[in-house]
Amino acid sequence: GPLAERPLMEVRLGELHTWISTCSFSAQGLLGAVQRAWGSYCAKYIHVKQGGPAGISMLLAGYCLLSYGWNYQHFSKASCFRNS
Amino acid sequence: VLHTTRPLHTTQQSLAPVPPLPEKGGEVRHGLIPEEFFQFLYPKTGVTGPYMLGTGLLLYLLSKEIYVVNHETAAAACILTVIVYAIKKFGPDVAAFADKLNEEKMASALAMKNDTIQTLQTAIEEEKKEQWRAEGRSYLFDAKRNNIAMLLEANYRERLLTVYNEVKKRLDYQVALQNLKRQKEQDHMIQWVEKNVVQSITPQQQKESIAKCILDLKALSKSAHAAV
C-alpha cells in the first residue's frame, strides 16, 4: 500500500525518514499511535489461547530498563562515591 | 433525534461471531527477545549473529560503566534465578490447570448450545405432529355430524312411536267403548226377553208343559228299557 498507511514493521530502512515525515505528531496522532502499538502487542502476546511467560516478562524487562535509565544519575553517583 | 441522512450498516463488518483467539502467541526466545529479531539478523549474520551482538553489547555496557554493578545486581541475579527455576518447574502444571478451566467453560457453553438445539428440534417435531393432527379435523367433524344425525333420527323415531301409541290408545278406547255398549245392549235385551218370556208363561201353561215333559220322559224311559 501507500507509504503513509503502512505500519512501522513493513517500512524499509531507506524509506524510514519519509515515513516519519508523513506521520502526525499531534496529541491525537501520538495517542492513536500508542493505542495501536499497545493493541498489537496485546493481540500478539497476551490474548492467545496458550500464552507463556513471554508476554509479561517482556513488559517487566522493559520496565526494568526504563527505571534504570531514569535513575542512571543516582546509580552513577552512588558507585562513584563507593569506588573511590 | 436520528439523522436519517447518515448511512447505516454500509460495511459488511459485523461483531458476531467473534473470531477465535490464535492458538499460540508470537515466538519469543529466552523469554525476552522476539523471534523476529533473530530472523531479521539471520540473512546478514547467520545463526550466531544476535548472540555475538548481545555479548558485545553486554561487555560494552559493563566496561564503560553504563551499567553499574552494585548490590542490586546481586539481588537481581538471585531473583532471576528463582523466577526462572519456578517457571521451569511449575510452568506446565499451571498451563494444564488454565487449560482445564478453559475446557470446562467451553464444555458448559457447548452443552448449553446443544441442549438449546435439542429442545428446538423436539419443539419442531412436536409442531409437525400437531400439524399432522390438525389435518384429521375433517374426520372429526364427519364423526360429529354423524352423531348429531343419529341423535335427530332417534328422537324423531321416539316421537313417532309416542304418536302411534297415543293414537292406538284412543282408537282402542273407542273400540272398547263400542264393544261395551253392544255388550250392555245385548245383556239388557236378553234380560228383557227372558223377563218377558217368564212373565208370559201363565200358570196354566206351566202345568201343561210339566205334564208334557213327564209324558215324554216316560216314553223315553220305556224306549230306554227296551233298548237295554
Side-chain angles (χ1 to χ4, degrees):
Chain A
L3 178 55
E5 290 154 14
R6 266 185 272 168
L8 180 55
M9 284 292 138
E10 295 173 20
V11 172
R12 295 175 205 227
L13 270 175
E15 305 166 341
L16 196 55
H17 61 280
T18 37
W19 185 86
I20 289 187
S21 67
T22 59
C23 68
S24 62
F25 286 106
S26 62
Q28 244 186 350
L30 284 176
L31 201 65
V34 168
Q35 270 186 339
R36 264 177 288 133
W38 175 250
S40 57
Y41 177 81
C42 275
K44 186 155 185 209
Y45 291 107
I46 301 183
H47 297 323
V48 287
K49 277 193 199 152
Q50 288 175 343
I56 355 164
S57 73
M58 281 200 276
L59 285 174
L60 285 176
Y63 169 69
C64 288
L65 285 176
L66 264 181
S67 65
Y68 186 85
W70 282 331
N71 298 335
Y72 181 66
Q73 296 282 349
H74 171 76
F75 286 135
S76 65
K77 262 192 289 185
S79 95
C80 195
F81 284 137
R82 205 134 35 102
N83 281 348
S84 64
Chain B
V1 175
L2 184 65
H3 298 277
T4 49
T5 51
R6 184 166 64 91
L8 298 167
H9 296 296
T10 42
T11 60
Q12 282 289 85
Q13 207 182 33
S14 78
L15 291 174
V18 174
L21 291 175
E23 279 290 328
K24 297 190 77 62
E27 278 287 318
V28 170
R29 232 193 260 201
H30 303 300
L32 277 182
I33 307 152
E35 191 67 31
E36 280 86 6
F37 186 65
F38 292 88
Q39 297 302 323
F40 176 64
L41 290 178
Y42 179 75
K44 291 290 194 279
T45 58
V47 176
T48 51
Y51 293 108
M52 299 310 299
L53 176 66
T55 320
L57 205 64
L58 199 61
L59 289 175
Y60 165 71
L61 290 175
L62 280 171
S63 67
K64 285 279 192 183
E65 287 262 312
I66 296 179
Y67 177 69
V68 176
V69 175
N70 48 10
H71 60 284
E72 286 182 13
T73 315
C78 298
I79 290 174
L80 273 176
T81 328
V82 167
I83 287 181
V84 167
Y85 174 73
I87 286 183
K88 282 274 181 326
K89 185 132 188 249
F90 301 117
D93 292 338
V94 171
F97 177 69
D99 280 343
K100 195 158 69 76
L101 286 180
N102 251 4
E103 274 300 316
E104 279 167 21
K105 273 195 243 172
M106 285 284 295
S108 71
L110 211 65
M112 222 161 55
K113 179 181 110 163
N114 283 347
D115 280 342
T116 326
I117 288 181
Q118 202 59 40
T119 351
L120 288 174
Q121 288 273 40
T122 39
I124 287 176
E125 272 153 35
E126 297 269 304
E127 185 63 33
K128 286 213 163 79
K129 200 156 185 207
E130 287 300 313
Q131 281 177 347
W132 170 79
R133 276 197 196 138
E135 281 172 16
R137 63 180 180 265
S138 66
Y139 297 126
L140 188 70
F141 294 151
D142 277 345
K144 281 191 190 249
R145 236 176 271 134
N146 279 353
N147 277 358
I148 288 178
M150 218 175 291
L151 274 178
L152 285 174
E153 184 77 20
N155 211 353
Y156 172 69
R157 285 194 192 179
E158 265 178 23
R159 290 196 200 162
L160 210 59
L161 187 68
T162 329
V163 164
Y164 167 78
N165 281 344
E166 287 295 308
V167 168
K168 185 159 182 304
K169 274 198 282 188
R170 278 160 181 62
L171 288 177
D172 283 346
Y173 172 73
Q174 293 298 327
V175 162
L177 202 64
Q178 280 180 357
N179 282 349
L180 183 68
K181 197 162 165 208
R182 197 172 295 147
Q183 190 79 19
K184 285 286 176 224
E185 284 177 355
Q186 258 185 347
D187 289 344
H188 187 257
M189 217 185 289
I190 289 171
Q191 263 186 341
W192 186 79
V193 165
E194 279 183 5
K195 198 168 75 168
N196 278 0
V197 165
V198 165
Q199 268 183 349
S200 75
I201 298 178
T202 58
Q204 173 63 28
Q205 266 181 322
Q206 205 165 353
K207 270 194 221 162
E208 276 184 20
S209 63
I210 286 177
K212 182 94 180 29
C213 287
I214 292 173
L215 276 175
D216 279 336
L217 276 170
K218 277 187 188 161
L220 273 171
S221 72
K222 271 191 203 153
S223 62
H225 273 302
V228 167

